[in-house]
Amino acid sequence: MSENSFAASPGQTIGPFFHYALPYEGGGQLVPPAAPGSVFLHGTVFDGAGEPVPDALVEIRQADPHGHVPRREGSLHRDGHFTGWGRAATNASGRYLFTTLTPGPVHGGAAFFGITLFARGLLDRLFTRAYLPGESDAFTRSLTDAERSTLQIEADAEGGLRFDIHLQGPGETVFLTFPRHAA
Amino acid sequence: MPTSLPGHGAGTALELEPQEQLSAEIAAAQENVHPGARQPRIDFPAYRSSVLRHPTKDLRHADPEGVELVAPVFGHGDVDPIESDLTIQGDGEPIGERMVLAGRVVDGDGRPVRHQLVEIWQANAAGRYVHKHDQHPAPVDPHFTGVGRCLTDADGAYRFVTIKPGPYPWRNHLKAWRPAHIHFSLFGTEFTQRLITQMYFPGDPLFALDPIYQSITEPGARDRLVAVYDHGLTTHEWATGYRWDIVLTGTHSTPREPEDHE
């Protein structure tokens, strides 16, 4: 078949009415809050005016603490297993929250959470990475200090991991494109 | 700038701009179409809600690594087969045109995306969502939630039974109505292929007027979001049939090794 036969389907906004369809019970709890080693990964999604975005959806993909990426079924019904994937809608204050495990580095790379962001008003999904404090790699070293700081998780006073996402404006998060994403 | 209220937008009818203005903005944005631009232009102010919600800096090229190379895994324990039939979730028959919607999910090399989750959500036949923030004064159908899920099969095929959704108004501008559409959420074989999009119906007179659809400035790319009527899928005295195939951009430039050895 011609190359064009497999041209990518365009994305579209998630729109305003996804809340009854996509979020699911326990979607943000990759592990129960009381599980050994559990940590909160949380933050706020901001728009270009610095206002929180109350209708965004955040998904994470991560390794376990040993740097192993789970390939186990059960991402919607985890049944007590760690699957390394989670989904959380932002609340009325633009905040999202995951209860999870701290990821280890995969194959000697830097330790980060892969993140996908969707929102009403956002015409296509965005990818980014949330690096654990102190982690860097060739990609982050290619960025300016200001850019790099947008991908760094902050350890908060309660031992949680805080990662705010800025769609635009001062501190606009660095968003990623991967090979073959380009038109 | 109007603040973002629930629903698509803002403002009262008095302060909403007419379609002519929006259409002029759409036309201006599409004057410099880049052939082969397959994705929506995320900086597309005719879609008013996008103004403060798109990155202003270029996306940064990154090579996927680690977790980005592995999609989340779903299985039959995640999805009940009846979730693919949106017409049997209530205590009675939902109102509207019953339709069978089927297609395939493949990657950029045409390989099937096997055993992955497909999620859909949509308005009912009257153009109303069950969402509490949808205040469009059209009837809620007590027998229709508009939410469905299924897994693709070994050939990447999916199939839903549902009700054809109606168009609905939104407040992007004066007399703004969304073309009828079904939202699709898709996963590929790796995390970088994640996609949420909307499927439209052929011949919709609202296409030219809709800034969300028109944010895909390349006409051929827009066409890829439109399902085709498929008489082979249509059934006698029961449902019309539509087919829609989805291509997820894959990072892998060479075929992967067989992966079905677990």
Side-chain angles (χ1 to χ4, degrees), chain B:
Chain B
M1 196 64 215
T3 54
S4 48
L5 296 167
H8 266 294
T12 66
L14 283 177
E15 62 193 35
L16 295 174
E17 299 104 333
Q19 180 71 51
E20 290 74 14
Q21 180 175 335
L22 267 291
S23 293
E25 292 181 27
I26 290 170
Q30 294 184 340
E31 268 181 14
N32 299 310
V33 172
H34 307 295
R38 294 170 185 166
Q39 296 302 329
R41 206 178 282 182
I42 57 174
D43 179 7
F44 201 75
Y47 175 28
R48 298 294 188 237
S49 301
S50 74
V51 172
L52 291 171
R53 293 185 170 198
H54 70 273
T56 61
K57 297 171 180 162
D58 288 341
L59 304 179
R60 302 296 288 253
H61 289 273
D63 288 321
E65 54 182 280
V67 295
E68 290 160 341
L69 292 166
V70 185
V73 183
F74 303 93
H76 293 290
D78 287 304
V79 182
D80 190 313
I82 69 168
E83 292 183 78
S84 68
D85 189 341
L86 287 73
T87 68
I88 59 172
Q89 295 169 353
D91 295 327
E93 293 285 340
I95 300 293
E97 174 187 334
R98 189 188 288 108
M99 56 179 276
V100 173
L101 172 57
R104 288 181 76 218
V105 185
V106 300
D107 70 12
D109 297 311
R111 289 177 297 232
V113 172
R114 300 184 173 103
H115 313 306
Q116 265 297 0
L117 182 68
V118 180
E119 298 163 285
I120 64 170
W121 71 104
Q122 61 171 98
N124 68 22
R128 178 80 185 259
Y129 288 86
V130 295
H131 198 280
K132 63 189 174 188
H133 288 152
D134 185 358
Q135 296 299 312
H136 171 39
V140 172
D141 187 334
H143 302 307
F144 190 73
T145 63
V147 178
R149 288 194 195 101
C150 73
L151 298 177
T152 57
D153 69 11
D155 192 39
Y158 73 88
R159 183 178 185 275
F160 291 101
V161 177
T162 185
I163 298 291
K164 193 174 182 181
Y168 59 83
W170 57 311
R171 302 180 65 81
N172 188 71
H173 56 282
L174 199 61
K175 293 198 288 183
W177 284 71
R178 292 297 331 279
H181 61 275
I182 295 178
H183 295 270
F184 269 73
S185 163
L186 303 146
F187 296 83
T189 53
E190 58 183 70
F191 185 68
T192 61
Q193 288 172 280
R194 184 80 175 92
L195 183 75
I196 284 182
T197 188
Q198 301 179 21
M199 185 216 86
Y200 299 88
F201 292 88
D204 196 314
L206 295 168
F207 282 158
L209 308 175
D210 181 47
I212 292 179
Y213 180 70
Q214 295 293 334
S215 69
I216 305 158
T217 54
E218 220 275 326
R222 280 201 298 278
D223 291 345
R224 283 192 278 279
L225 294 188
V226 182
V228 294
Y229 171 74
D230 185 330
H231 202 57
L233 277 174
T234 291
T235 57
H236 184 62
E237 292 195 333
W238 191 70
T240 55
Y242 286 87
R243 181 169 297 280
W244 187 53
D245 296 330
I246 302 141
V247 179
L248 305 176
T249 42
T251 297
H252 296 288
S253 53
T254 56
R256 306 173 75 189
E257 292 176 15
E259 55 190 299
D260 293 333
H261 46 66
E262 61 259 60

Side-chain angles (χ1 to χ4, degrees), chain A residues 105-158:
Chain A
V106 182
H107 301 314
F112 63 80
F113 295 89
I115 292 184
T116 322
L117 177 70
F118 310 88
R120 178 182 67 85
L122 177 60
L123 278 159
D124 198 8
R125 81 279 179 272
L126 294 172
F127 292 98
T128 188
R129 293 174 178 171
Y131 285 82
L132 288 174
E135 294 283 320
S136 66
D137 59 15
F139 177 73
T140 60
R141 286 190 291 274
S142 75
L143 304 174
T144 67
D145 289 349
E147 290 169 338
R148 185 164 48 244
S149 69
T150 72
L151 303 185
Q152 292 289 340
I153 292 170
E154 292 176 36
D156 67 27
E158 290 80 39

Side-chain angles (χ1 to χ4, degrees), chain A residues 44-51 146-147 149-150 164-175, chain B residues 52 54-57:
Chain A
T44 302
V45 180
F46 293 100
D47 70 13
E51 296 294 325
E147 290 169 338
S149 69
T150 72
D164 290 341
I165 299 172
H166 295 263
L167 283 163
Q168 59 177 237
E172 178 176 311
T173 299
V174 170
F175 296 104
Chain B
L52 291 171
H54 70 273
T56 61
K57 297 171 180 162

Side-chain angles (χ1 to χ4, degrees), chain A residues 74 76-82:
Chain A
L76 292 181
H77 298 294
R78 296 189 186 92
D79 203 19
H81 297 294
F82 181 75

